Amino acid sequence: MTHNEASRAATAADTQQTDNADVHENYDSFDDKRTPLPLSRLISVFLIQGAEPVTATVIYPFINKFIRETGITNGNEAKTGYYAGIIESTFFFTECMTVVQWGYLSDRFGRRPVLLSAPLGLAFSMLVFGSSQTFWPLVWSRCFQGIFNGSIGVAKSVIAELTDSTNRGDAYAFSPLIWNTGVTIGPILGGLLSNPETQWPNSLGRIEYLKSHPYFLPCLIAAIFCLVVFMITFLTLRETLPSIVAQQKAVKIARDGCPNAETALLSSADESSTSYGARPQHHSRQATASSENSTLVDQPKPPNDGIRSILIRPVLMTCLNHIFLAFLDMSHFALIPLMYSTPLEFGGLGLDPFQIGFTLGTFGFLNALIQSIFLGGLIRKHGARKIYMIGFSSFLVCFSMYPCMKYFSQRAQRVDALTIMCMLTQLGFQMMISMAYASIQVLLVDSVPEGGRLGTANGILQMIGSGMRSIAPTFASSLFSISLQKHLAGGNMVYFILLAMTLVGVRCTWLLPLHDKRKRRSS
């Protein structure tokens, strides 16, 4: 090799090393820099998520009285709880049965049309519910509420497509705040506006229709809320399904006759690929692949057809962990008011409804606030997998506190300072459990492969949650009663069984996939 050739080779090597360093530096800055949340585009999605708890809980204050007045119980008070259970469970059952189908439709036809149909359907079903005067129309309208609320999983897909790995945790951290706000507003509307003839005799109580339909007004307000959500969504929500976004951009470029078509095509292709989770490529690579990118925009690749694209180990392990999370959380959710309200002599705390409501209401507000402030940063710093593992393990403390509270309260024959310390410890660790929900959602998004059906995957996760809402409360409350009646393990058998299930779930957390923290998905 001559001196000149050696010099040129050394220069080329130095240039290549500099380019690689630049690329590495760009990647590092890409990873470390947090992308601001697109709040203007997320608001409509959050509003749709808020419609679920409002429409689900607005009936709770008056549903038992409403059922009695339909005549279905024939004056037998003991049957009221049975028929009320049918009404309340129907919502979650039909949601469970349809949520995957909504996700599949959103993968085929786009997120926007599916989400727009949700508030319209909820508004219609709420109006039918409030207008009914017999029992079975209540059941059918409740079915429709669950069906149209089945699109809630699509909203989570939109959040994933509007965010990336640096801010996705922040977006999902708002979910507890939205849920707690909805479950607060719904019962308030139901209790304040039902039976206006009695509560508002000089104003709304004079309207004849409200006299003959005393529960129509709270349903009407809930329906109006859904219609407002529809109008806001219609005006602000744009399509986020990557394949449709790429097609729309290609059509716009062809229609407008963009003078710098090559640059526009490259930009469109890069944004489409990034929305599937691909890393942005270095500019020099983009310049050398203009023909391939142009073809990509002209013929955007749709999501992989068939559910096989998501039936892979990372997705399946994420769903397996969500089964344990949803089941144990709903069991815990059912046990708290049951244990708190049970008299001291039967193994509870003997708290009255006001004390229980104040305690859980205060916890719900603080929990939602803490999640929205801190959860996103924790996921960015430690990763969704680690946060989930810590959050799920908190069940061990929460379930262990039940027999401790029982022991201390029975020893003192009242709720003493030690019992209150156990309650605060339990509620504190329950906040960590809430963090697991956003973490498992982030893990699912990262597990779906490029081109996979994200909407269908989110639908499956939502179906699991809805199914557990139907099964877990009955399981936990029945086991609680059996443990007390049979005096199994001193009345603590229910807690020991749930602790054993938690240990199995903790083992399953180690099966969760490890993801490159630099992976992004943004539209």
Side-chain angles (χ1 to χ4, degrees):
M1 178 183 292
T2 66
H3 176 74
N4 291 336
E5 290 175 342
S7 177
R8 285 196 297 271
T11 302
D14 291 341
T15 302
Q16 180 65 32
Q17 184 177 0
T18 301
D19 289 343
N20 290 339
D22 290 340
V23 172
H24 182 71
E25 181 179 355
N26 289 338
Y27 278 2
D28 289 342
S29 63
F30 177 82
D31 294 331
D32 296 337
K33 184 177 179 181
R34 176 188 172 190
T35 306
L37 281 176
L39 290 176
S40 59
R41 302 180 67 184
L42 286 171
I43 287 176
S44 58
V45 184
F46 290 152
L47 286 173
I48 290 176
Q49 287 185 310
E52 175 192 11
V54 171
T55 55
T57 61
V58 69
I59 71 169
Y60 284 176
F62 59 81
I63 185 59
N64 291 321
K65 188 176 180 181
F66 199 174
I67 289 173
R68 296 188 196 102
E69 293 176 359
T70 62
I72 190 68
T73 63
N74 294 319
N76 187 347
E77 183 66 26
K79 293 183 178 180
T80 302
Y82 168 73
Y83 288 108
I86 293 177
I87 293 288
E88 295 168 6
S89 299
T90 296
F91 181 93
F92 296 111
F93 177 77
T94 52
E95 178 184 350
C96 177
M97 292 295 101
T98 57
V99 66
V100 175
Q101 286 77 8
W102 283 116
Y104 174 80
L105 289 174
S106 75
D107 284 332
R108 290 294 301 271
F109 304 108
R111 317 295 190 206
R112 190 171 187 270
V114 171
L115 287 182
L116 285 175
S117 67
L120 281 181
L122 288 174
F124 170 77
S125 57
M126 287 305 304
L127 292 175
V128 174
F129 192 93
S131 302
S132 303
Q133 292 183 305
T134 56
F135 178 74
W136 291 110
L138 296 179
V139 175
W140 291 116
S141 61
R142 196 67 170 163
C143 285
F144 278 107
Q145 290 177 38
I147 289 172
F148 284 101
N149 198 67
S151 63
I152 196 68
V154 180
K156 296 181 179 180
S157 299
V158 174
I159 293 175
E161 291 162 347
L162 288 176
T163 58
D164 56 48
S165 60
T166 68
N167 61 3
R168 186 167 297 125
D170 298 90
Y172 284 125
F174 281 100
S175 294
L177 179 62
I178 295 167
W179 175 264
N180 282 285
T181 302
V183 298
T184 301
I185 293 176
I188 289 176
L189 291 176
L192 185 65
L193 301 178
S194 61
N195 203 359
E197 184 178 11
T198 301
Q199 300 200 57
W200 313 90
N202 298 322
S203 54
L204 296 174
R206 295 181 177 181
I207 301 175
E208 290 298 326
Y209 190 81
L210 296 182
K211 290 181 180 180
S212 59
H213 298 79
Y215 309 107
F216 177 76
L217 185 58
C219 296
L220 173 64
I221 299 302
I224 291 175
F225 172 74
C226 292
L227 291 176
V228 172
V229 170
F230 168 79
M231 289 186 288
I232 294 174
T233 304
F234 182 82
L235 294 174
T236 61
L237 182 64
R238 291 184 291 172
E239 183 57 64
T240 62
L241 184 63
S243 59
I244 294 181
V245 171
Q247 290 174 350
Q248 291 173 344
K249 290 181 178 179
V251 170
K252 183 178 180 181
I253 291 171
R255 184 184 67 242
D256 295 344
C258 181
N260 194 358
E262 181 176 323
T263 302
L265 289 170
L266 286 171
S267 176
S268 177
D270 291 336
E271 292 182 15
S272 176
S273 64
T274 303
S275 65
Y276 279 106
R279 293 185 54 82
Q281 301 300 316
H282 195 259
H283 180 71
S284 61
R285 295 185 182 181
Q286 296 176 350
T288 59
S290 60
S291 60
E292 290 85 348
N293 289 331
S294 300
T295 303
L296 174 63
V297 176
D298 292 335
Q299 296 178 348
K301 183 180 178 180
N304 189 343
D305 288 331
I307 200 171
R308 289 185 179 181
S309 64
I310 58 173
L311 292 182
I312 56 176
R313 180 180 173 82
V315 174
L316 294 178
M317 292 301 100
T318 303
C319 290
L320 173 64
N321 275 271
H322 190 63
I323 290 174
F324 281 95
L325 173 64
F327 185 88
L328 292 173
D329 185 45
M330 290 308 300
S331 297
H332 180 46
F333 185 78
L335 285 176
I336 285 182
L338 187 59
M339 197 270 184
Y340 284 9
S341 62
T342 300
L344 284 168
E345 58 270 24
F346 295 112
L349 301 183
L351 301 179
D352 60 44
F354 175 80
Q355 292 171 319
I356 296 173
F358 178 80
T359 301
L360 297 183
T362 302
F363 164 76
F365 173 77
L366 293 176
N367 181 35
L369 188 63
I370 290 173
Q371 301 287 322
S372 59
I373 294 175
F374 297 107
L375 180 54
L378 289 173
I379 290 179
R380 284 194 304 276
K381 182 177 181 179
H382 301 288
R385 186 175 186 267
K386 184 179 292 185
I387 296 299
Y388 176 83
M389 296 175 74
I390 294 173
F392 185 87
S393 300
S394 299
F395 278 120
L396 294 172
V397 177
C398 289
F399 289 132
S400 297
M401 287 300 103
Y402 284 113
C404 293
M405 287 188 289
K406 176 183 176 181
Y407 172 77
F408 289 127
S409 61
Q410 288 187 338
R411 187 182 68 173
Q413 287 301 301
R414 61 186 177 87
V415 178
D416 61 354
L418 291 175
T419 306
I420 293 176
M421 288 181 60
C422 291
M423 292 175 62
L424 294 177
T425 301
Q426 184 183 63
L427 294 174
F429 276 87
Q430 190 175 339
M431 289 186 182
M432 300 174 66
I433 294 173
S434 299
M435 294 183 180
Y437 277 98
S439 302
I440 200 73
Q441 189 66 49
V442 173
L443 287 169
L444 178 73
V445 173
D446 290 340
S447 297
V448 175
E450 181 180 349
R453 292 194 170 276
L454 180 60
T456 305
N458 268 314
I460 293 174
L461 208 69
Q462 189 70 20
M463 179 186 68
I464 291 172
S466 299
M468 294 305 102
R469 290 182 188 179
S470 302
I471 300 173
T474 302
F475 172 85
S477 58
S478 300
L479 193 57
F480 178 86
S481 299
I482 294 173
S483 299
L484 293 180
Q485 292 173 0
K486 305 291 186 181
H487 202 64
L488 302 175
N492 297 317
M493 180 60 72
V494 56
Y495 312 128
F496 296 153
I497 291 177
L498 291 172
L499 279 169
M501 295 178 66
T502 301
L503 290 175
V504 177
V506 169
R507 176 63 183 88
C508 290
T509 62
W510 292 92
L511 302 176
L512 286 168
L514 290 168
H515 296 295
D516 181 358
K517 70 174 183 178
R518 299 181 299 178
K519 181 181 178 182
R520 288 191 163 199
R521 183 191 296 266
S522 177
S523 56

